[in-house]
Amino acid sequence: MHTSILILNGPNLNMLGTRQPEVYGRETLSDIEHACRAHASWRGLEMDFRQSNSEGELVTWIQQAKGHYAGIIINAAAYTHTSVAILDALLAVELPTVEVHLSNIHQRDAFRHHSYVAKAARGMICGFGSHGYILAIDALSRLLGDPGVASA
């Protein structure tokens, strides 16, 4: 049986490549998805990659993940700093979760320094642009017991 992971992306990430490229880079979300698919496959993982601008839809996908996915990678985008609902859903499903952000949220506006997602995540990767997703796949693979991922 193959191990499946869920990668969720929050609001405005569908605008990557054109929205504030000086902050988020010029790659599109589709570019990131293709890189993630290739890397997950190399790691022996199946992957579902989704994006929504709707908090409720993200919560529903998280709730549905239990029993279908071994772990979650989430870039909740602006909901990172506001959504207790996403936090509660992540805590309820009890799946290993890695939080990822394209920019370093700690170098930005003060309100972006707090993450509700962090309370449910095993770790956070931020500030490495799209490569953060690749690092998150490696981290989640390690959490899931892949012996091919080097130990820290």
Side-chain angles (χ1 to χ4, degrees):
M1 179 191 286
H2 291 278
T3 301
S4 292
I5 64 171
L6 178 62
I7 301 180
L8 295 178
N9 296 278
N12 298 311
L13 290 171
N14 56 309
M15 305 282 295
L16 285 178
T18 59
R19 178 180 172 244
Q20 292 181 277
E22 68 283 359
V23 174
Y24 301 110
R26 297 213 177 271
E27 289 178 286
T28 67
L29 193 59
S30 179
D31 295 334
I32 294 170
E33 179 180 0
H34 291 304
C36 286
R37 285 198 183 285
H39 194 69
S41 176
W42 180 74
R43 281 267 171 238
L45 299 169
E46 292 182 1
M47 180 197 87
D48 194 359
F49 193 96
R50 302 178 187 181
Q51 186 276 330
S52 179
N53 292 321
S54 169
E55 181 182 29
E57 189 166 35
L58 291 165
V59 167
T60 297
W61 289 339
I62 293 166
Q63 291 173 350
Q64 293 171 345
K66 191 164 187 150
H68 294 95
Y69 299 99
I72 298 171
I73 294 170
I74 184 166
N75 181 345
Y79 291 138
T80 299
H81 321 292
T82 63
S83 182
V84 174
I86 288 174
L87 166 62
D88 286 348
L90 289 167
L91 291 172
V93 298
E94 299 178 320
L95 291 172
T97 300
V98 176
E99 179 178 0
V100 66
H101 298 283
L102 295 163
S103 67
N104 183 343
I105 62 173
H106 303 289
Q107 290 180 337
R108 299 190 60 204
D109 310 288
F111 75 88
R112 295 184 195 275
H113 298 179
H114 179 265
S115 166
Y116 282 98
V117 173
K119 184 168 177 58
R122 292 289 301 273
M124 176 196 297
I125 299 166
C126 66
F128 293 101
S130 64
H131 187 65
Y133 283 83
I134 302 304
L135 297 172
I137 290 169
D138 287 343
L140 188 55
S141 184
R142 179 176 179 204
L143 291 172
L144 299 175
D146 181 352
V149 179
S151 296

